[in-house]
Amino acid sequence: MKTTSKLFLIGLVFAAFACGGKTEENTTSQTEPTTTTGNETTETPTVSDDPMQNKGVGPITTITLGDIDATMAETGKTLFDTKCSACHKMDSRAVGPALGGVTTRRSPEWIMNMILDPEKMTKEDPIAKGLFEEYMTTMANQSLTEEEARNLLEYFRDYDKQ
């Protein structure tokens, strides 16, 4: 009986050391998930919650802006009037959000990615998802080219400088 009690006591001591004193470490990985296809591995781009750092999801990953190009801005205004103004106004909410000041709220890459592929942005980008929840509609895809999206961005930049 004494041997059984001693073994039980020793077992309790081991169990106490095994369970106590260990601090839990944050095991959340900061590494972005990767996609592997065949022999290629592609890292998924980081999606930032900071609106001015978030570049969105799409083909535009980096854009360098210089002075405003008046010709591009004029072409962008024409595009806006023909393709965007049914749903967007510059200074008031319509079907979609007002676009005046958009270049102070969103990164240039995000703006162009939203113009080029609003469906993908609404599914994968947290800001676009929030806009969908607020406006209850997905932005219509106008099938614009990157050049046309860039002209629209230039129009927004020109509008916002005034």
Side-chain angles (χ1 to χ4, degrees), residues 15-71:
F17 280 108
C19 294
K22 184 178 179 184
T23 354
E24 242 179 75
E25 294 177 20
N26 183 0
T27 56
T28 305
S29 173
Q30 298 297 319
T31 306
E32 291 297 320
T34 57
T35 305
T36 304
T37 308
N39 295 330
E40 295 181 24
T41 300
T42 307
E43 286 191 29
T44 303
T46 302
V47 177
S48 173
D49 290 334
D50 177 356
M52 293 308 288
Q53 297 300 315
N54 183 340
K55 295 182 177 192
V57 180
I60 309 301
T61 56
T62 303
I63 186 167
T64 304
L65 300 174
D67 293 335
I68 294 174
D69 183 313
T71 304

Side-chain angles (χ1 to χ4, degrees), residues 52 90 98-107 110-111 156 160:
M52 293 308 288
M90 293 307 283
L99 294 179
V102 70
T103 60
T104 62
R105 299 188 308 265
R106 306 285 182 260
S107 71
W110 190 96
I111 293 168
F156 298 148
D160 290 344

Side-chain angles (χ1 to χ4, degrees), residues 44 47 54 56-58 110 113-114 117-133 137-139 141:
T44 303
V47 177
N54 183 340
V57 180
W110 190 96
N113 283 323
M114 189 67 180
D117 196 347
E119 296 92 357
K120 185 173 185 171
M121 286 284 286
T122 302
K123 287 179 187 168
E124 299 177 24
D125 180 79
I127 295 171
K129 284 180 184 177
L131 289 170
F132 174 73
E133 290 170 6
T137 186
T138 303
M139 188 171 114
N141 188 339

